[in-house]
């Protein structure tokens, strides 16, 4: 364990600041997306609108849980609601089905990231592992939510950043080894792990139910966390960063990130 960092049962303490991060299932976000897709398929067959009660019967989901999914779909404008009652296909779904889908998806993602930034009061990032490289697809920052200073290209720093480690953890063992063979781990701060064997072991043991952390491993003065948001073969993640002085806010911010991951997953799935 590096100097200034001790481990407790409920989390990590870094120079006196406790970051309590419990095991939290990522699964519910994926399940919400699966139910949402079934809802959209069902609504699409009802040109004149369909009630929540009928949707509950058709897709076999309890009305209490379905109400949460319907609220999310309305908030993200995948569903509309007729004045006389009944759900119909919404604006976002129409746009994502249009010829300019990629542009519509990029705009949708930008809106989601800005909303997340305001909710967690931190810079938020969406990243993918494309063609063997870590890529920041988009991010949202602001005066009160500064993004991390990219003093080393993220493509070369997957071993140190929360984003990079989260993406590598989703690869198989050979994929991780191949990446580290091309991007040799370099010491970026005193807390950066550069031993291949240690890195591979940590990535192998990283639970999907726990966020991947970067506690000043990429840049001094910044803490980051990332969660996987992957359906199918796409390797992706949502992440946030904040100044080290605000590390006590990391856990509630990550909780919010978990709760709001469904719209990102959904837009990737349609």
């Amino acid at each position: 364990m590096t100097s200034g960092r001790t481990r407790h049962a409920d989390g990590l303490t870094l120079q006196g600041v406790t970051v309590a991060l419990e095991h939290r299932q990522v699964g519910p976000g994926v399940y919400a997306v699966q139910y949402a897709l079934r809802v959209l398929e069902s609504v699409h067959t009802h040109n004149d609108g369909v009630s929540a009660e009928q949707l509950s019967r058709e897709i076999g989901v309890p009305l209490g849980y379905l109400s949460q999914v319907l609220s999310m779909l309305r908030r993200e404008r995948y569903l509309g609601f007729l004045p006389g009652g009944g759900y119909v296909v919404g604006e976002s779904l129409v746009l994502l089905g249009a010829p300019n889908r990629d542009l519509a998806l990029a705009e949708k993602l930008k809106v989601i990231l800005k909303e997340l930034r305001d909710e967690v009061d931190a810079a938020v990032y969406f990243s993918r592992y494309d063609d063997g490289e870590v890529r920041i697809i988009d991010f949202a920052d602001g005066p009160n939510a500064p993004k991390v200073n990219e003093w080393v290209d993220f493509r070369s720093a997957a071993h140190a950043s929360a984003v990079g480690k989260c993406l590598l953890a989703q690869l198989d063992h050979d994929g991780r080894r191949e990446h580290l063979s091309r991007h040799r781990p370099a010491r970026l701060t005193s807390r950066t792990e550069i031993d291949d064997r240690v890195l591979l072991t940590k990535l192998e043991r990283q639970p999907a139910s726990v966020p991947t952390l970067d506690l000043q491993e990429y840049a001094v003065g910044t803490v980051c966390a990332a969660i996987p948001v992957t359906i199918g073969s796409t390797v992706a993640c949502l992440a946030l960063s904040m100044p080290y002085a605000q590390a006590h806010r990391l856990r509630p911010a990550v909780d919010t990130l978990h709760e709001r991951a469904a719209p990102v997953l959904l837009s990737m799935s349609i």
Side-chain angles (χ1 to χ4, degrees):
M1 196 67 64
T2 55
S3 176
R5 172 176 166 180
T6 57
R7 183 176 294 275
H8 295 273
D10 60 348
L12 294 170
T13 295
L14 187 62
Q15 294 183 344
V17 178
T18 299
V19 182
L21 294 165
E22 62 188 15
H23 283 251
R24 178 172 298 274
Q25 292 297 325
V26 178
V30 176
Y31 292 136
V33 171
Q34 292 173 348
Y35 289 137
L37 290 172
R38 287 165 62 186
V39 167
L40 294 177
E41 288 174 359
S42 184
V43 170
H44 191 69
T45 65
H46 295 276
N47 295 329
D48 299 324
V50 58
S51 68
E53 290 78 11
Q54 186 170 348
L55 285 170
S56 177
R57 291 192 297 270
E58 288 184 2
I59 67 176
V61 176
L63 189 58
Y65 181 78
L66 183 62
S67 297
Q68 301 175 39
V69 176
L70 291 172
S71 294
M72 183 270 287
L73 290 171
R74 286 194 67 187
R75 184 179 65 243
E76 301 299 329
R77 297 187 296 173
Y78 287 110
L79 287 181
F81 195 71
L82 297 174
Y87 292 92
V88 293
V89 171
E91 174 187 344
S92 291
L93 192 58
V94 173
L95 287 175
L96 291 180
N100 59 344
R101 180 187 185 281
D102 290 345
L103 179 59
L105 181 56
E107 289 300 317
K108 183 69 177 173
L109 177 63
K110 192 176 293 292
V111 169
I112 293 172
L113 293 180
K114 287 180 178 178
E115 290 175 349
L116 274 172
R117 175 201 62 196
D118 295 341
E119 287 187 49
V120 301
D121 198 22
V124 180
Y125 314 76
F126 176 69
S127 305
R128 284 202 310 257
Y129 194 75
D130 288 338
D131 298 324
E133 300 293 351
V134 172
R135 301 189 189 281
I136 305 295
I137 303 303
D138 205 351
F139 66 90
D141 64 347
N144 298 319
K147 67 181 180 68
V148 65
N149 175 33
E150 190 180 350
W151 72 285
V152 173
D153 193 319
F154 281 124
R155 290 174 297 180
S156 303
H159 65 291
S161 69
V163 163
K165 289 186 288 183
C166 186
L167 295 176
L168 291 181
Q170 297 175 61
L171 305 180
D172 59 21
H173 182 75
D174 290 341
R176 297 174 194 136
R177 286 180 59 87
E178 193 277 334
H179 181 92
L180 294 177
S181 71
R182 288 184 291 108
H183 297 287
R184 299 300 305 158
R187 191 173 301 283
L188 306 182
T189 77
S190 63
R191 295 186 174 86
T192 307
E193 180 59 67
I194 60 172
D195 187 300
D196 282 16
R197 291 171 298 178
V198 174
L199 281 167
L200 289 169
T201 299
K202 287 182 176 180
L203 292 170
E204 190 76 33
R205 294 177 178 175
Q206 173 67 31
S209 58
V210 177
T212 306
L213 300 178
D214 161 14
L215 302 177
Q216 299 192 103
E217 296 160 53
Y218 172 78
V220 174
T222 302
V223 294
C224 308
I227 61 171
V229 288
T230 298
I231 285 184
S233 61
T234 301
V235 174
C237 71
L238 271 175
L240 58 84
S241 67
M242 60 181 61
Y244 166 72
Q246 299 177 22
H248 60 280
R249 296 199 304 106
L250 199 57
R251 176 179 175 175
V254 170
D255 287 348
T256 300
L257 213 61
H258 273 294
E259 294 166 4
R260 295 282 282 115
V264 179
L265 284 162
L266 184 59
S267 64
M268 291 167 55
S269 306
I270 296 175

